[in-house]
Amino acid sequence: MKKAVVCGAGGFIGSHLVKRLKNEGFWVRGVDLKYPEYAPTAADDFIIGDLRDTTVCQRVFDGPFDQVYQLAADMGGAGYIFTGENDADIMHNSATINLNVLDNCYKRNIKHIFYSSSACMYPEHNQLDPDNPNCEESSAYPANPDSEYGWEKLFSERLYLAYGRNHGMKVRVARFHNIFGPEGTWDGGKEKAPAAFCRKVAMAEDNGSIEMWGDGKQTRSFLYIDECLEGVRRLMESDFEGPVNIGSDEMVSINQLAQMAMEIAGKNLSVNHIPGPLGVRGRNSDNNLIHEKLGWKPTETLYEGLKKTYPWIAQQVAESYKK
Ligand code: NAD
């Protein structure tokens, strides 16, 4: 039986990845500061611990493992990473986690490791036109991310690739573009746009209104969690190191995203545009490289993914009202 460690197994993508690996027959150890919030973990073994602490890392990587998935990071949506208030924490915490995890794997001779980077590492100057952003993998340099979160991701990508070159490790690096789905953060300030709009729509009375940061003309693409995991697993089993985008290439404006949530909910709401942290004007996944290297790319529509996500968030909203 293959053995894997999932770092960040208490988080959104990590908790789903543990389920996926279990379904594939892996023995899985999860590690995180916390257990998953919305469902019990599927992991065989779960260590509550801080990966900034080297003694915790030594305990986690205490023997042979076939694969490691490093998803732990200090992160959140625009309200967390673009205000500037959390920059020092984001850089220090995530870089320390990556330095520790990778070096402990190396010292334990654990060679096969996945690292989750982000589309936030792409240069801001290529994402000013909302209708025509460039997120081709080769456009990463000269680097100019618009957030410290993006700079840390860029540093850590290079760190993993350097261990691959110098220490013969089999690293795999993906740049995720806005992953969403059930059992993800939906309130509290760290939630992302799809979850935030599902929540706002679920909470609004029909014919009422919701708030939106900015004019809503900024563009993004959003990838459903199951497709993200399919991409991660395919990349891990392939000979391709990356970095490669794992995202959807169905680009929508934030206004369109909100409209989809309203349509799924069957509510007619007006939108109040208010100032708020926004990030770049346009972003879309370029899927040419993943298609070329893995012979696969995500195909599910945003609408299909939202149809599976909205009911879960509406249920969370209803339950939190009852409390
Ligand atoms: P998440 O915040 O739900 O999960 C990250 C987990 O890391 C959390 O459970 C958190 O408790 C844990 N963690 C943080 N600091 C830790 C520490 N010191 N020790 C142990 N655990 C710690 O985020 P997610 O959406 O599941 O994202 C997973 C990874 O994918 C992250 O690296 C993130 O940067 C990357 N990513 C995600 C998206 C997205 O849209 N969700 C997009 C781009 C990149």
Side-chain angles (χ1 to χ4, degrees):
M1 187 187 262
K2 280 193 171 180
K3 290 178 80 176
V5 178
V6 176
C7 304
F12 167 51
I13 301 174
S15 59
H16 283 279
L17 177 61
V18 169
K19 279 186 226 161
R20 163 93 196 217
L21 291 170
K22 284 302 302 166
N23 286 340
E24 286 189 41
F26 279 77
W27 185 95
V28 183
R29 167 174 287 169
V31 53
D32 202 300
L33 295 169
K34 60 174 177 68
Y35 290 106
E37 272 168 67
Y38 307 111
T41 181
D44 298 280
D45 177 42
F46 199 103
I47 295 180
I48 293 286
D50 189 335
L51 291 164
R52 291 171 301 181
D53 181 343
T54 45
T55 55
V56 169
C57 285
Q58 283 160 10
R59 195 151 62 87
V60 170
F61 304 108
D62 63 351
F65 283 97
D66 299 288
Q67 298 187 351
V68 172
Y69 294 83
Q70 199 321 72
L71 299 146
D74 190 3
M75 75 95 91
Y80 187 72
I81 61 178
F82 296 130
T83 59
E85 285 163 22
N86 307 301
D87 286 352
D89 280 349
I90 288 170
M91 295 193 92
H92 176 267
N93 293 341
S94 296
T96 309
I97 293 169
N98 283 312
L99 288 161
N100 277 346
V101 167
L102 189 52
D103 203 54
N104 273 278
C105 286
Y106 165 55
K107 286 178 177 149
R108 283 286 175 171
N109 206 22
I110 300 169
K111 288 194 175 298
H112 196 180
I113 179 161
F114 171 85
Y115 173 60
S116 53
S117 181
S118 163
C120 288
M121 46 59 63
Y122 282 113
E124 185 176 18
H125 53 255
N126 287 337
Q127 301 171 84
L128 298 175
D129 176 358
D131 298 323
N132 206 15
N134 177 11
C135 291
E136 200 180 304
E137 286 83 350
S138 60
S139 71
Y141 298 97
N144 184 27
D146 73 330
S147 66
E148 301 302 2
Y149 171 76
W151 279 106
E152 190 282 325
K153 288 292 188 193
L154 210 48
F155 162 76
S156 290
E157 281 190 2
R158 300 188 68 97
L159 180 73
Y160 281 78
L161 296 174
Y163 269 65
R165 282 195 309 277
N166 293 167
H167 297 318
M169 292 175 75
K170 199 172 157 188
V171 299
R172 297 288 178 267
V173 179
R175 296 171 177 162
F176 290 160
H177 291 240
N178 289 317
I179 315 303
F180 75 101
E183 296 175 21
T185 306
W186 60 277
D187 70 348
K190 281 193 165 186
E191 67 279 16
K192 309 277 188 53
F197 285 112
C198 287
R199 182 196 71 231
K200 289 176 187 191
V201 168
M203 290 179 79
E205 299 290 341
D206 196 12
N207 297 315
S209 66
I210 57 169
E211 288 187 336
M212 181 187 289
W213 291 339
D215 61 12
K217 292 180 184 156
Q218 66 273 33
T219 53
R220 292 291 186 278
S221 69
F222 302 94
L223 184 69
Y224 190 68
I225 180 70
D226 291 356
E227 294 230 281
C228 168
L229 300 179
E230 184 66 28
V232 169
R233 289 289 300 122
R234 283 175 184 260
L235 180 62
M236 269 306 253
E237 301 303 330
S238 81
D239 292 332
F240 182 50
E241 184 175 65
V244 65
N245 292 327
I246 295 188
S248 161
D249 56 8
E250 180 193 350
M251 188 170 76
V252 296
S253 69
I254 300 301
N255 284 323
Q256 287 172 315
L257 172 69
Q259 284 302 328
M260 281 187 199
M262 289 181 217
E263 199 178 314
I264 289 163
K267 291 185 185 179
N268 184 19
L269 307 171
S270 60
V271 178
N272 294 334
H273 297 276
I274 59 165
L278 296 176
V280 293
R281 279 308 282 168
R283 177 170 292 152
N284 191 17
S285 183
D286 183 312
N287 286 348
N288 288 320
L289 187 64
I290 193 167
H291 196 219
E292 179 195 323
K293 297 292 183 185
L294 304 187
W296 173 90
K297 62 178 181 173
T299 49
E300 191 176 279
T301 63
L302 172 57
Y303 197 81
E304 284 302 314
L306 277 178
K307 270 204 308 201
K308 292 184 263 186
T309 308
Y310 180 81
W312 182 82
I313 293 182
Q315 188 194 340
Q316 304 307 303
V317 168
E319 281 172 12
S320 71
Y321 266 130
K322 273 191 237 152
K323 284 177 191 161

